[in-house]
């Protein structure tokens, strides 16, 4: 019943955004409607495996973009990719003291709240290290929410991007054989990556399988428009539903602190974007999307809607996530030893 209410709220959000001619109705509509309902006290509930499956659609879309032409371009990306470790380190050096001093977080919670990884991954790592899981989760969800609101505004207002680029062809224009290959890549990649214990299995597993099939000449197209719009809808709901049960104190302290931290991140991201643009390491729009510290799925969707070079954006975000996932536990142990 609660899931049915959640879907209804999301559909109402899409309808309102559509009627008011607001941008990205299938993403922003359900996100804002779910957020408002959650803060109003409506007991919404996430859609579980259905929402996870939406990420597998994005994984296939990204993997299908990995072509021989992209592989040939990878060396030209190395200079901008090499900036990412320093970018992540700068975020940590600013973020940990911020959350310690201004939000009153303990060291463990401050560290995992500051790290620009996936919301779920950082929450899991933080829980294992003894962090306040609720605070870490709310900070990262707030980061995604603010970025997904501000990012499109910057793309339109600063870069003059029209967020009307078709995300895919209609299903009726895609051969059945291609649709079957995509479905097989999504399911096999997702479940195979889960079995292997890969973080972000629902998106990275299908991405890897679809990339292999694309390079082998088996997969030639992205998932249909209908599937990608459904993915937008479910991602939007997922962000809004994360605020269910939030208290006024959490809004005042944790959520507000997370929002202020995003503004700090915006300054860092803007500086890096300006550097890679002025030095010719990246085109302006691709540089902006590549260094926005949002989630991989959300940034991939924005790149699709903006008509940006999806492969460039994805390579940088995957690199950032890998660095955070592999380096965060090691860095935290070193930090705790020095403090101890």
């Amino acid at each position: 019943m609660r899931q049915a209410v959640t879907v209804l709220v999301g559909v109402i959000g899409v309808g309102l955004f559509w009627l008011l001619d607001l941008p990205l109705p299938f993403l922003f509509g359900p996100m804002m409607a779910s957020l408002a309902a959650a803060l109003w006290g409506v007991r919404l509930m996430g859609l579980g495996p259905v929402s996870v499956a939406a990420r597998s659609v994005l994984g296939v879309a990204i993997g299908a973009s990995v072509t021989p032409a992209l592989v040939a371009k990878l060396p030209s990306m190395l200079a901008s990719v090499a900036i990412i470790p320093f970018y992540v380190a700068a975020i940590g050096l600013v973020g940990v003291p911020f959350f310690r001093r201004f939000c009153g977080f303990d060291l463990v919670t401050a560290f995992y709240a500051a790290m620009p990884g996936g919301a779920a991954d950082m929450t899991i790592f933080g829980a294992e290290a003894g962090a306040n899981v609720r605070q870490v989760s709310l900070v990262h969800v707030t980061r995604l929410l603010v970025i997904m609101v501000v990012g499109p505004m910057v793309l339109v207002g600063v870069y003059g991007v029209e967020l009307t680029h078709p995300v895919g062809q209609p299903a009726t224009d895609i051969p059945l054989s291609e649709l079957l290959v995509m479905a097989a890549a999504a399911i096999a990649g997702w479940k195979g990556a889960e079995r292997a214990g890969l973080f972000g299995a629902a998106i990275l597993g299908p991405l890897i399988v679809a990339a292999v099939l694309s390079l082998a000449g088996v997969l030639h197209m992205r998932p249909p428009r209908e599937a990608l719009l459904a993915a937008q809808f479910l991602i939007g709901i997922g962000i809004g539903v994360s605020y269910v049960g939030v208290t006024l104190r959490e809004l005042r302290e944790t959520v507000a602190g997370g929002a202020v931290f995003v503004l700090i991140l915006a300054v860092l991201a803007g500086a890096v974007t300006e550097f890679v643009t002025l030095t010719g390491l990246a085109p302006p729009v691709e540089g902006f999307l590549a260094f926005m510290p949002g989630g991989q799925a959300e940034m991939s969707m924005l790149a699709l809607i903006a008509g940006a070079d999806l492969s460039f954006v994805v390579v940088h975000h995957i690199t950032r996530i890998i660095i955070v996932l592999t380096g965060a536990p090691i860095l935290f142990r070193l930090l705790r030893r020095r403090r101890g």
Side-chain angles (χ1 to χ4, degrees):
M1 180 62 183
R2 287 170 62 185
Q3 289 181 326
V5 171
T6 302
V7 173
L8 178 60
V9 168
V11 170
I12 291 171
V14 173
L16 287 173
F17 268 62
W18 194 283
L19 288 172
L20 296 172
D21 197 26
L22 295 173
L24 308 180
F26 282 90
L27 180 64
F28 281 175
M31 184 174 76
M32 292 305 183
S34 300
L35 171 64
L39 295 179
W40 192 259
V42 179
R43 304 301 293 179
L44 304 178
M45 178 182 286
L47 302 184
V50 177
S51 290
V52 178
R55 294 177 177 268
S56 71
V57 174
L58 280 180
V60 173
I62 297 166
S65 302
V66 180
T67 61
L70 166 64
V71 173
K73 289 196 309 183
L74 283 176
S76 66
M77 301 183 193
L78 292 179
S80 57
V81 167
I83 297 171
I84 295 176
F86 302 99
Y87 177 50
V88 170
I91 290 173
L93 288 171
V94 172
V96 174
F98 170 82
F99 284 117
R100 290 277 283 160
R101 179 170 299 180
F102 295 101
C103 298
F105 290 3
D106 59 74
L107 178 62
V108 185
T109 302
F111 181 84
Y112 284 102
M115 285 293 100
D121 305 333
M122 292 301 95
T123 301
I124 291 169
F125 280 0
E128 291 177 353
N132 184 316
V133 174
R134 178 70 171 172
Q135 289 178 328
V136 172
S137 176
L138 282 175
V139 166
H140 283 292
V141 170
T142 301
R143 171 170 60 90
L144 293 180
L145 176 67
V146 175
I147 285 173
M148 289 306 292
V149 171
V150 174
M153 293 170 60
V154 174
L155 286 171
V156 173
V158 177
Y159 296 105
V161 174
E162 294 290 336
L163 299 178
T164 55
H165 196 275
V167 293
Q169 294 179 309
T172 52
D173 291 351
I174 300 177
L176 179 61
S177 58
E178 286 280 318
L179 293 172
L180 292 174
V181 169
M182 292 177 200
I187 296 169
W190 173 14
K191 295 304 176 182
E194 268 188 352
R195 184 164 295 185
L198 186 68
F199 271 108
I203 190 169
L204 289 181
L207 187 160
I208 294 167
V209 173
V212 170
L213 294 175
S214 176
L215 291 171
V218 177
L219 182 61
H220 309 90
M221 306 176 80
R222 291 177 183 166
R225 181 182 305 163
E226 295 85 353
L228 290 167
L229 289 176
Q232 287 185 44
F233 180 83
L234 292 168
I235 287 171
I237 282 179
I239 295 174
V241 167
S242 299
Y243 285 95
V244 169
V246 68
T247 64
L248 287 174
R249 180 176 179 179
E250 287 175 327
L251 276 175
R252 187 175 62 250
E253 298 176 0
T254 305
V255 174
V260 172
F261 181 57
V262 174
L263 298 179
I264 297 172
L265 289 180
V267 174
L268 288 172
V272 175
T273 300
E274 193 71 9
F275 175 78
V276 297
T277 300
L278 291 176
T279 54
L281 297 178
V285 173
E286 281 75 7
F288 173 73
L289 288 169
F291 287 97
M292 278 185 72
Q296 182 184 331
E298 292 80 10
M299 293 301 98
S300 300
M301 186 59 73
L302 269 186
L304 280 170
I305 296 166
D309 184 340
L310 180 62
S311 57
F312 185 92
V313 174
V314 168
V315 165
H316 286 72
H317 280 288
I318 289 178
T319 302
R320 172 173 60 86
I321 296 299
I322 289 173
I323 288 172
V324 172
L325 290 183
T326 56
I330 297 170
L331 285 173
F332 177 69
R333 290 192 194 101
L334 292 174
L335 180 62
R336 190 159 57 178
R337 282 179 186 172
R338 291 187 66 180
R339 290 295 181 98

